[in-house]
Amino acid sequence: MTDSNSTSTKAATDAKAFHGEYPRIVVAPPGPKARAIIDQDAEYSSTSYIKEYPLAVSHGEGPVIEDVDGNRYLDFMAGIAVASTGYSHPAVVEAVREAAGRFFHICGTDFYYQTMASLCERLAKMGPGSSKKRVFLSNSGAEAVDGAIKLVRNSTGRTDLIAFQGAFHGRTYGGMSLTSSKAKQRATFGPMIPGVHHVPYPDPYRLETGGREVGAFVLDQIQALFSRHLYPKDVAAIFVEPLLGEGGYVIPPTSFIEGLRALCDEHGILLVFDEIQTGVGRTGQMWAADYFGVEPDVLLTAKGLGSGMPIGAIIARESIMRWSSGSHGSTFGGNPVGCAAALATLDVVEGGLLDNVREMGELMMTGLKRLQEKHTCIGDVRGMGLYIGVEFVKDRATKEPASELVGQLGQLAFTKGLLLLSCGESVIRIAPPLVIDADDVKTGLRIIDECITELTAGVGK
Ligand SMILES: Cc1ncc(COP(=O)(O)O)c(C=O)c1O
């Protein structure tokens, strides 16, 4: 192990969660206490909730969650890519306690406080790119997306928006209108907001392009849209996840992201990166934009920003964020406790965690590629840092999605103490807390291997 390896791993694991005593299944989940919560919830909570598997959380430490019956799970999904610094990171907990002890709320839209001013300055200066920026703070990802729709329309005086098939941008009307991931997320809720046009996402594994390079193929599709259907000067912005998230953890070619930037510049269209899932260190860079070396006009972040406290942000070039006082606001957005959590999270991420993400991401990729060699049901493994998609297929030649297998894998891994989450049609997204160490990677991969072996025994793998 090199010095830099040991430094960053130490930073991530100064106190090994639960003294290293995990995963630990003491009662087959759901145990009796979990069952009681699940039954109560089932009676009174909205029927729209998904509930992937019967996990009822008591508390967490680092990359580990303990359920109410004492089972301990290694977490490879971080509450959907949120628990960036892990569970109960001492620095984040302390910052939240300190802020909560002062005041919960005053409304940042109308009044001032230090943590809000500091967080706006910090995010504005963190880029990506060199232009001066301003920041609007929200409660959630979808609220940031909706705010950005208003901002780009306000800034350009144009109405239309381009988004991508497979994209997920949230559950509000703006976010949902841009979303094209699963039809059931939109079904029965129409009409959507007008002026949204979807084009294919450059999925190197799946998109049929007739031999054309995938990024160039999609850029051509946008050009075709411009010549036949949509006047480019009517387009306010292109909203893109620089790495596709809910739609399948897909990594597009760098040339595509560069091409999008050039296309936007040519037509005066704003480029919005939805980094709600990819931002704040998950890819081993602070922003995926840093990896591509492309500066968007607007960047949206949320999820990992507050380590789980609800906070999001619209980070926009100063030349764009010029809407007038009172034109946009939020009662709770950028609340003092959320701001304190975000500032502490950024301290932790910038204080050595990015190195850990890159090192653990490499270990994870290598291990998953090995599993791909062993199990023919794994069609593709791709990723950046601790943002990795493992795509399962029934047959490598036809690439028919193995959705059922992915469902079974999530359930079986849960019973063995590993938390997984799917995305796309048949992809497991590996998005653990950024503080995992090499032992955690090894343990998680061992359980995934065991599960696949059990599930494919006797079916020709
Ligand atoms: C890329 C992306 N955008 C937007 C959202 C919506 O964020 P939220 O659920 O915080 O509203 C999500 C949530 O999964 C997301 O992954």
Side-chain angles (χ1 to χ4, degrees), residues 170-236:
R171 306 285 194 162
T172 53
Y173 265 93
M176 178 174 58
S177 301
L178 295 175
T179 289
S180 171
S181 174
K182 295 189 173 83
K184 74 172 169 210
Q185 293 160 350
R186 296 163 56 104
T188 73
F189 299 137
M192 302 291 138
I193 66 166
V196 178
H197 311 266
H198 285 95
V199 292
Y201 194 86
D203 179 343
Y205 184 64
R206 285 211 172 267
L207 190 62
E208 299 287 345
T209 65
R212 186 123 168 78
E213 191 277 324
V214 78
F217 176 85
V218 173
L219 293 169
D220 284 354
Q221 299 273 308
I222 301 175
Q223 292 287 11
L225 186 71
F226 287 166
S227 56
R228 294 197 200 106
H229 180 78
L230 175 65
Y231 184 50
K233 296 264 182 282
D234 284 337
V235 179

Side-chain angles (χ1 to χ4, degrees), residues 80 140-143 145 168-171 241 245-246 274-277 302-303 429:
I80 319 192
S140 69
E143 190 196 341
V145 170
F168 184 83
H169 295 285
R171 306 285 194 162
E241 291 167 88
E246 216 268 336
D274 180 341
E275 293 226 29
I276 285 162
Q277 190 153 177
K303 286 194 181 278
R429 61 178 114 183

Side-chain angles (χ1 to χ4, degrees), residues 73 162 164 188 256:
Y73 304 89
I162 293 176
F164 290 84
T188 73
F256 167 71

Side-chain angles (χ1 to χ4, degrees), residues 392-426:
F392 288 80
V393 290
K394 290 186 178 163
D395 178 314
R396 280 192 182 166
T398 63
K399 299 184 183 175
E400 191 186 337
S403 313
E404 207 181 315
L405 175 63
V406 166
Q408 291 165 344
L409 180 57
Q411 300 295 329
L412 185 59
F414 172 61
T415 66
K416 292 175 185 279
L418 178 69
L419 303 182
L420 296 176
L421 192 67
S422 65
C423 61
E425 263 192 275
S426 61

Side-chain angles (χ1 to χ4, degrees), residues 267-300:
H267 298 291
I269 296 169
L270 300 180
L271 182 58
V272 182
F273 280 2
D274 180 341
E275 293 226 29
I276 285 162
Q277 190 153 177
T278 53
V280 196
R282 179 145 293 283
T283 62
Q285 306 280 342
M286 186 52 75
W287 313 112
D290 296 329
Y291 170 83
F292 292 115
V294 169
E295 182 176 348
D297 299 295
V298 179
L299 184 145
L300 310 176

Side-chain angles (χ1 to χ4, degrees), residues 76-377:
F76 269 18
M77 57 95 185
I80 319 192
V82 168
S84 47
T85 59
Y87 296 94
S88 331
H89 191 290
V92 182
V93 171
E94 185 45 41
V96 166
R97 274 214 183 96
E98 204 275 333
R102 286 165 177 265
F103 63 113
F104 284 149
H105 174 79
I106 190 64
C107 189
T109 294
D110 294 285
F111 306 102
Y112 298 93
Y113 40 94
Q114 186 60 64
T115 47
M116 181 171 179
S118 297
L119 183 59
C120 287
E121 176 181 2
R122 188 146 175 194
L123 289 171
K125 288 183 171 168
M126 279 170 63
S130 54
S131 64
K132 165 89 164 59
K133 302 190 175 59
R134 287 184 177 274
V135 174
F136 178 90
L137 296 173
S138 67
N139 296 280
S140 69
E143 190 196 341
V145 170
D146 269 39
I149 293 174
K150 290 168 70 176
L151 179 65
V152 296
R153 285 180 166 173
N154 169 281
S155 171
T156 59
R158 303 177 182 184
T159 52
D160 283 29
L161 306 165
I162 293 176
F164 290 84
Q165 290 159 13
F168 184 83
H169 295 285
R171 306 285 194 162
T172 53
Y173 265 93
M176 178 174 58
S177 301
L178 295 175
T179 289
S180 171
S181 174
K182 295 189 173 83
K184 74 172 169 210
Q185 293 160 350
R186 296 163 56 104
T188 73
F189 299 137
M192 302 291 138
I193 66 166
V196 178
H197 311 266
H198 285 95
V199 292
Y201 194 86
D203 179 343
Y205 184 64
R206 285 211 172 267
L207 190 62
E208 299 287 345
T209 65
R212 186 123 168 78
E213 191 277 324
V214 78
F217 176 85
V218 173
L219 293 169
D220 284 354
Q221 299 273 308
I222 301 175
Q223 292 287 11
L225 186 71
F226 287 166
S227 56
R228 294 197 200 106
H229 180 78
L230 175 65
Y231 184 50
K233 296 264 182 282
D234 284 337
V235 179
I238 298 181
F239 279 70
V240 66
E241 291 167 88
L243 314 181
L244 199 63
E246 216 268 336
Y249 269 38
V250 175
I251 317 293
T254 300
S255 57
F256 167 71
I257 300 292
E258 290 167 345
L260 265 189
R261 178 70 276 176
L263 193 75
C264 286
D265 290 344
E266 186 187 338
H267 298 291
I269 296 169
L270 300 180
L271 182 58
V272 182
F273 280 2
D274 180 341
E275 293 226 29
I276 285 162
Q277 190 153 177
T278 53
V280 196
R282 179 145 293 283
T283 62
Q285 306 280 342
M286 186 52 75
W287 313 112
D290 296 329
Y291 170 83
F292 292 115
V294 169
E295 182 176 348
D297 299 295
V298 179
L299 184 145
L300 310 176
T301 187
K303 286 194 181 278
L305 179 60
S307 291
M309 287 297 291
I311 187 158
I314 304 172
I315 306 171
R317 290 182 199 258
E318 184 170 57
S319 56
I320 290 158
M321 194 171 266
R322 289 192 166 160
W323 40 14
S324 60
S325 168
S327 60
H328 193 56
S330 171
T331 296
F332 293 122
N335 86 85
V337 185
C339 285
L343 287 165
T345 299
L346 293 174
D347 285 345
V348 175
V349 173
E350 292 189 312
L353 213 46
L354 291 177
D355 286 341
N356 193 59
V357 175
R358 288 192 279 263
E359 287 159 26
M360 294 308 119
E362 253 183 68
L363 268 187
M364 191 81 88
M365 274 298 270
T366 309
L368 288 166
K369 294 260 184 203
R370 244 181 243 134
L371 291 186
Q372 186 184 14
E373 280 164 25
K374 181 171 170 188
H375 300 286
T376 54
C377 59

